[in-house]
Amino acid sequence: MTGSSDASGAEQIDLAQLGTILRERRGTLSLRQAAAEVGVSFSTLTRVEAGAQPDLTSFTLICGWLGVSPAQFFMPIAERRVTPMDEVIAHLSADPRLEADAASKIASVLKNMYDVLAKAPTQRPVVACHLRAASALRPGVPHRLNSMLGAMHDKLAERVAAGEL
């Protein structure tokens, strides 16, 4: 796992941070000595320090030895926003009084009505930037960086609209 969400939307472990903290905590202890203290094999500890994902038991033993909460290493994922229409369709599909075909027909009518009557949301243009060190940034930095890049984009768009660029 690399530290981002996978296709299933599961949270990922920040393996780089785990390896770094493990190396720092181990200090002058050899890998074999530290592995014995942690209660995992030498090879497991070696792989985790190198950035490999441990199994759940090893992960909890390592976190216990480090004296940190396992939650510290989980990176937040973007949650799928459930729209009101999604909720309505889920309720229709779960209604035992409706056959699947009937629920689908009602959902189709509702989607069509919604698409015609709902106002389009105002969307801000997306500003993208690839950061190789994003997983090593302090918490909150990506959000602040996003705000700064968004502000820069808006200013540039204003200058383009004014014919300055």
Side-chain angles (χ1 to χ4, degrees):
M1 292 189 187
T2 61
S4 61
S5 65
D6 62 17
S8 69
E11 286 192 32
Q12 303 285 313
I13 298 173
D14 186 346
L15 298 170
Q17 181 186 20
L18 178 60
T20 299
I21 292 173
L22 183 56
R23 272 187 299 282
E24 289 172 1
R25 166 68 169 83
R26 184 169 62 84
T28 59
L29 284 177
S30 72
L31 281 166
R32 290 195 190 284
Q33 291 170 322
E37 284 186 17
V38 173
V40 298
S41 71
F42 163 79
S43 59
T44 296
L45 203 61
T46 302
R47 285 192 306 271
V48 172
E49 274 198 10
Q53 179 177 332
D55 60 57
L56 182 59
T57 302
S58 298
F59 178 63
T60 55
L61 287 170
I62 291 168
C63 288
W65 185 72
L66 293 172
V68 297
S69 168
Q72 169 180 335
F73 301 103
F74 285 96
M75 301 177 67
I77 58 170
E79 294 183 23
R80 180 179 176 269
R81 185 174 168 267
V82 178
T83 66
M85 186 55 61
D86 292 335
E87 289 184 36
V88 169
I89 292 170
H91 286 291
L92 287 171
S93 300
D95 190 334
R97 298 172 297 166
L98 290 174
E99 292 183 11
D101 186 48
S104 178
K105 287 178 182 175
I106 294 170
S108 177
V109 169
L110 286 173
K111 281 186 209 176
N112 289 337
M113 288 173 44
Y114 186 84
D115 290 342
V116 169
L117 299 173
K119 294 180 180 176
T122 56
Q123 291 188 354
R124 186 174 180 186
V126 175
V127 177
C129 178
H130 175 75
L131 298 172
R132 291 184 186 268
S135 62
L137 295 176
R138 290 181 161 200
V141 170
H143 296 291
R144 290 192 302 273
L145 184 57
N146 181 45
S147 296
M148 287 177 17
L149 288 173
M152 288 170 56
H153 179 271
D154 293 344
K155 289 290 185 186
L156 286 171
E158 287 174 17
R159 291 186 69 187
V160 167
E164 296 174 13
L165 291 177

